[in-house]
Structures are given as structure tokens and as C-alpha cells.
Amino acid sequence: MFNSYLSNTLEYYPELCINCGMCSTVCPHGVFGPDGKVAQLVNPKACMECGACQLNCPTKAIKVESGVGCASAMMLAAVKGQKEVTCGCDGSCS
Amino acid sequence: MARLGVKRERHLIEPGLYTMGKPTKESPVFVSANYTLSFDALRSALHGNDCYILVLDTKGINVWCAAGKKTFGTNELVYRIEVVGLNDVVNHRTLIVPQLGATGVDAREVRARSGFKVEFGPVRAADLPEYLKTHQATREMRRVRFTLSDRIVLIPVEMKNFLIPVLIASVILALVGNYTAAAAAMAAAFTGLVLFPIFLQWIPTTDFSIKGFLIGGVTAIPFAQNAFYGMTNETMWVRYGWALAYMLVIPSISAFLALNFTGSSTFTSVTGVKREIFLYMPKIAWMFGIGIILIIVLIAMKLLEGI
Ligand code: SF4
Ligand code: SF4
């Protein structure tokens, strides 16, 4: 109850993984762990959909719909009928 | 001041290559954004080192936000390497890029296009001295945090956006002679903008809106109690009305402000925030709308009585 963050758009295809370790390096929330023959999805719920792992995975073993998790930007985009959401977080997120 | 966005143009660093100490052709190269706070954090962390800092043009925005917009990104990095002629400045072919830049920087593509290998350093510049000993980041160094102090520095930024509407609402309420309601408007804003960020991690539940409702409810209780027990010379209905209005309006304002805070948090996903908007925005709007109509009716009744 009251948890909107239990699932997200992160998808991982371990059969494509060549265990380069990039995903566990770039992820700021420890979603992937480097221990094992392939990368391990250790904490998928913590994913904030930043897209760093997808961008840096050499074999496209990771898919995620990345974007800015920013309510005001989304509400504004919804009102303006924009598809793309850009965050106005000039220096407000560090 | 930089955080408040006042005179932003003064907080831009000219993009390009900077030196620290007396770097040689073998000295490391660090990549940064042309946002003063990012650049300064890097410079103070590297104090005493001989090295280069390659500043990208991120339009004065910090590394993480800029990486999300891809201004701190592969293209700009490759372009900047060429513009400053980095090939001739150093003999090695390694760049140390802050980890949070990885959302915009594709390390393989940078290597293919520029010949430089990207090494993702720690999230926080302050961890660089430790990192440089081994070039291995610990798990801790790879994690983004959202500590109390991280949240406190965001309070003025959030306040700036809502200060004027809150002041207008309070002034109107004070002008029609209802000082308690004016105080309630201030209290609601204070709860959403100051108390919520501070207590974020200790309020139960994970959804920001629910947390906002809860903490707003706590703020509303004394106002409702005061209306109920304090307005003794009013009829029962008026007292009920005010108590209900406070319980509706204050939590809806703080829930809205809390939901808005997801933009500054470092862990909310788009999917989750969308779900929150979809679930709670209609409820917030209804509560607020009904509460405000109730207040208008109550104030109008009072004013008409006086005539
Ligand atoms: S980045 Fe891709 S290939 Fe590398 S370890 Fe992660 S999933 Fe495997
Ligand atoms: S999208 Fe970002 S938060 Fe999610 S797993 Fe990838 S790197 Fe981690």
C-alpha cells in the first residue's frame, strides 16, 4: 500500500551480459551487483530510471525508459501537451 | 546565492581546459560542468594535486541535471576535447568523469570518437583524494545519498517558487479579517516546504504525496482544534465548518508541495512519480477545492452578518 515505486521500466537480459561491470559502476543506487558470472540485478526497486546503465552497457542487455522523475515538470508537460519532459531543476538537484 | 538562481550568469565558468598546480603531459584530466558549485567542489577536492580540469558547456547546470539533458554528454565531451586540443596537451588517453555524468556520457562512444578512455570517478568530488589512491571506488562512493543536509540546502530553492502565492493568499485572508486562516496558509506552506524535506526519511510510507498528507494533517490538527473549541461565540456549524476546512486545505497543500519535491529528490523514478500524480493529484485537487469553497462561504457569511 502507498508505494508507487515498487515497479519501474527497468529490464535486464542476463543472457546478453558479458560481465563488463559497467552497470554496477555507473548506477547511483546499487541496482546491479558485480558479483557473479553475469551482472546481478540485486535491487531493482531502487532504480530511478536515470538511464546511465542502458547508455553504457556494451551489449544492450539493459533497457530502461529514462526520464526526469520530476512531478512539476510532468504536470507542466501534461498541461502543455508536450511529449518530452524536461526538468527545470537548474541547480536545484545536485 | 547560486542555488537561488539569482544572477545565474555570474555563476558560469568559461568552458575549456583549466590547470591546477603544475601539470605535466602525464597529469590526470578531470571533467566537470561549467556550474560554479560543481567546479568549486572539484577544485577544492583536488587541492594540492597537479592536474587538468576540462570544463564542459552545460549552460551553468550541475553535472547530474545536465547529464539528464545530455548537455553533459558524449557530443559535448568529444567536441570539447577537440577544441582544447587535449591530444597534444597530455600523452595519456584517460579522462576521469564524475559518475553522475554517466547518464549523458557513453564511455564507449567517447573512446571510439576521441580515443580517450572514460573512467567514471566517484559520485562526490570529496571522495576523489581517496579514489585516486587506487582508482577503485568503494560501494559507498558509487551511491547517491539524500541526507538531511542535502535536503536542507534545497529548502530555499523550493521556497523561492512558492513564496509569492503563499504571501498573496495570507495577505488576502488577513485583509478579510481572518488572521487564523492567514496563519494557517503560512503554516501549510511551511509544512510542505520546510518540515517535509527535513522529516522526509522519518515519515512513514514511501509515496511523497502520502507523506505530505500525513505531515499536513499533523499541522492541521491544532488549527482544527482551535476552530472547534476556540470559536465559542460562533454557532456549532461554523465551528465544524472551519475545522473541516483546515483539515482539507492544509494537508492538500502540503501533499502537493511534497509531490513537487520529487523533482529534487535523488531517487524517485519517472514511473513512480507518474503513478503518484495519477493516484493522488485528483484527490489533492478535490480536497483543496472543497476546502477553499468552504472557507469562502464561511468568510462570506461572516462578512454578510456584519452588514
Ligand atoms: S553493462 Fe551490460 S554487459 Fe556490462 S555487466 Fe552490465 S549488463 Fe553486463
Ligand atoms: S537506470 Fe539508473 S538507477 Fe536504474 S539501474 Fe540503471 S543506472 Fe541504476
Side-chain angles (χ1 to χ4, degrees):
Chain A
M1 254 297 246
F2 300 144
N3 192 344
S4 298
Y5 301 92
L6 284 175
S7 65
N8 50 53
T9 58
L10 183 69
E11 290 171 31
Y12 170 49
Y13 304 96
E15 64 279 10
L16 296 177
C17 175
I18 54 167
N19 209 20
C20 71
M22 208 54 172
C23 49
S24 42
T25 296
V26 297
C27 180
H29 290 292
V31 172
F32 288 94
D35 338 279
K37 285 213 170 82
V38 292
Q40 303 293 315
L41 194 53
V42 289
N43 194 2
K45 275 187 300 203
C47 173
M48 64 167 304
E49 304 177 328
C50 71
C53 54
Q54 166 178 268
L55 184 67
N56 280 285
C57 173
T59 59
K60 298 200 166 33
I62 304 169
K63 263 204 200 110
V64 63
E65 275 174 39
S66 66
V68 196
C70 179
S72 60
M74 276 185 230
M75 289 187 261
L76 209 67
V79 171
K80 288 187 185 162
Q82 296 168 337
K83 281 241 170 68
E84 191 126 329
V85 178
T86 49
C87 185
C89 58
D90 312 327
S92 67
C93 36
S94 44
Chain B
M1 284 310 264
R3 289 202 174 271
L4 284 169
V6 181
K7 297 239 168 66
R8 273 273 298 287
E9 61 278 13
R10 275 171 42 201
H11 296 283
L12 296 180
I13 311 272
E14 193 64 34
L17 192 65
Y18 292 77
T19 59
M20 285 197 56
K22 292 196 172 54
T24 65
K25 281 188 163 256
E26 310 305 325
S27 302
V29 181
F30 298 88
V31 181
S32 186
N34 74 332
Y35 173 57
T36 324
L37 296 186
S38 306
F39 185 70
D40 288 349
L42 183 58
R43 268 201 316 191
S44 66
L46 291 173
H47 188 80
N49 283 284
D50 298 318
C51 61
Y52 299 93
I53 299 178
L54 182 64
V55 174
L56 304 189
D57 184 4
T58 61
K59 319 282 180 228
I61 289 169
N62 69 62
V63 173
W64 205 4
C65 284
K69 297 179 194 190
K70 314 290 181 209
T71 45
F72 190 102
T74 310
N75 289 338
E76 165 64 15
L77 180 53
V78 171
Y79 170 77
R80 204 52 62 187
I81 291 169
E82 265 169 41
V83 171
V84 303
L86 197 61
N87 274 311
D88 304 322
V89 178
V90 289
N91 286 332
H92 65 82
R93 289 292 173 264
T94 304
L95 302 168
I96 301 176
V97 174
Q99 186 191 328
L100 295 183
T103 300
V105 171
D106 178 344
R108 275 165 313 128
E109 199 185 326
V110 171
R111 184 161 205 179
R113 284 166 57 186
S114 71
F116 279 87
K117 176 176 175 282
V118 168
E119 185 180 307
F120 287 112
V123 166
R124 282 164 294 275
D127 286 331
L128 269 172
E130 196 52 42
Y131 172 82
L132 289 173
K133 289 180 191 160
T134 57
H135 287 255
Q136 290 292 316
T138 60
R139 255 163 217 253
E140 250 316 289
M141 288 183 201
R142 293 252 169 259
R143 292 297 192 87
V144 151
R145 292 186 296 229
F146 201 41
T147 59
L148 187 57
S149 62
D150 294 335
R151 300 195 301 268
I152 285 174
V153 296
L154 293 172
I155 290 175
V157 186
E158 296 286 308
M159 287 248 259
K160 182 196 76 182
N161 297 329
F162 294 100
L163 199 63
I164 294 180
V166 170
L167 284 179
I168 292 175
S170 313
V171 167
I172 293 177
L173 287 166
L175 281 179
V176 296
N178 199 317
Y179 298 109
T180 321
M186 301 262 216
F190 183 77
T191 306
L193 296 171
V194 180
L195 298 182
F196 173 77
I198 292 177
F199 292 106
L200 178 67
Q201 76 196 83
W202 297 289
I203 311 172
T205 75
T206 46
D207 284 5
F208 278 42
S209 326
I210 296 286
K211 285 172 186 269
F213 273 125
L214 291 177
I215 195 168
V218 172
T219 305
I221 288 172
F223 284 98
Q225 262 181 340
N226 177 54
F228 203 70
Y229 298 110
M231 300 164 84
T232 40
N233 48 356
E234 300 287 355
T235 64
M236 204 59 186
W237 287 113
V238 171
R239 287 155 64 182
Y240 269 128
W242 274 108
L244 182 63
Y246 287 131
M247 289 310 286
L248 286 171
V249 174
I250 297 176
S252 64
I253 292 175
S254 55
F256 176 79
L257 293 172
L259 179 55
N260 206 63
F261 196 70
T262 53
S264 305
S265 92
T266 53
F267 54 83
T268 46
S269 66
V270 189
T271 307
V273 174
K274 266 190 202 150
R275 213 171 279 149
E276 276 210 46
I277 293 178
F278 191 72
L279 266 177
Y280 308 119
M281 252 333 264
K283 297 183 183 67
I284 293 175
W286 274 109
M287 279 175 68
F288 183 74
I290 295 173
I292 290 292
I293 291 171
L294 198 57
I295 289 176
I296 292 173
V297 169
L298 287 165
I299 289 178
M301 271 165 51
K302 182 90 191 160
L303 291 178
L304 290 175
E305 227 171 66
I307 296 173

